[in-house]
Amino acid sequence: MKNKVDSIAPISLNKKLYIATANQGEANYERNKKRHDLFYALMKERSDGHLKVKIEYFEQENHRSVPFIALNEGLKYVNKKN
């Protein structure tokens, strides 16, 4: 994950990004929420504190129910005036 974040062009760190993840059960915790949290932490570390990324975890949702919620919340975040 660190190599992937390190390969992101600096100009891309100025873009807004919305990340949503849902509850996939204990077996998939490592693959989903923890991985997204690590990605966010690495990007935040690399961005010098000016990161425009929002990450949300929807505990009551799952892989099938989260897309519409994430789309709606993501569009609101991306289109929100800073």
Side-chain angles (χ1 to χ4, degrees):
M1 184 71 67
K2 182 160 179 20
N3 289 339
K4 289 181 182 184
V5 171
D6 287 344
S7 71
I8 296 172
I11 195 166
S12 295
L13 293 172
N14 293 327
K15 307 287 184 190
K16 281 188 169 183
L17 175 65
Y18 177 80
I19 302 169
T21 189
N23 187 349
Q24 296 298 308
E26 192 64 35
N28 289 321
Y29 179 80
E30 292 287 326
R31 258 188 35 217
N32 291 311
K33 184 175 183 328
K34 194 170 183 179
R35 183 175 56 182
H36 290 134
D37 289 344
L38 174 61
F39 177 68
Y40 176 78
L42 291 170
M43 286 196 53
K44 189 172 182 179
E45 179 181 299
R46 183 148 183 254
S47 72
D48 297 329
H50 300 303
L51 189 62
K52 298 176 186 176
V53 175
K54 181 175 182 180
I55 185 168
E56 286 191 277
Y57 175 64
F58 295 92
E59 188 170 352
Q60 301 303 315
E61 303 301 330
N62 61 44
H63 184 71
R64 291 187 177 130
S65 64
V66 80
F68 291 115
I69 296 166
L71 178 62
N72 182 50
E73 293 303 313
L75 287 172
K76 286 193 295 188
Y77 174 69
V78 169
N79 290 300
K80 181 181 171 185
K81 301 288 182 196
N82 292 7

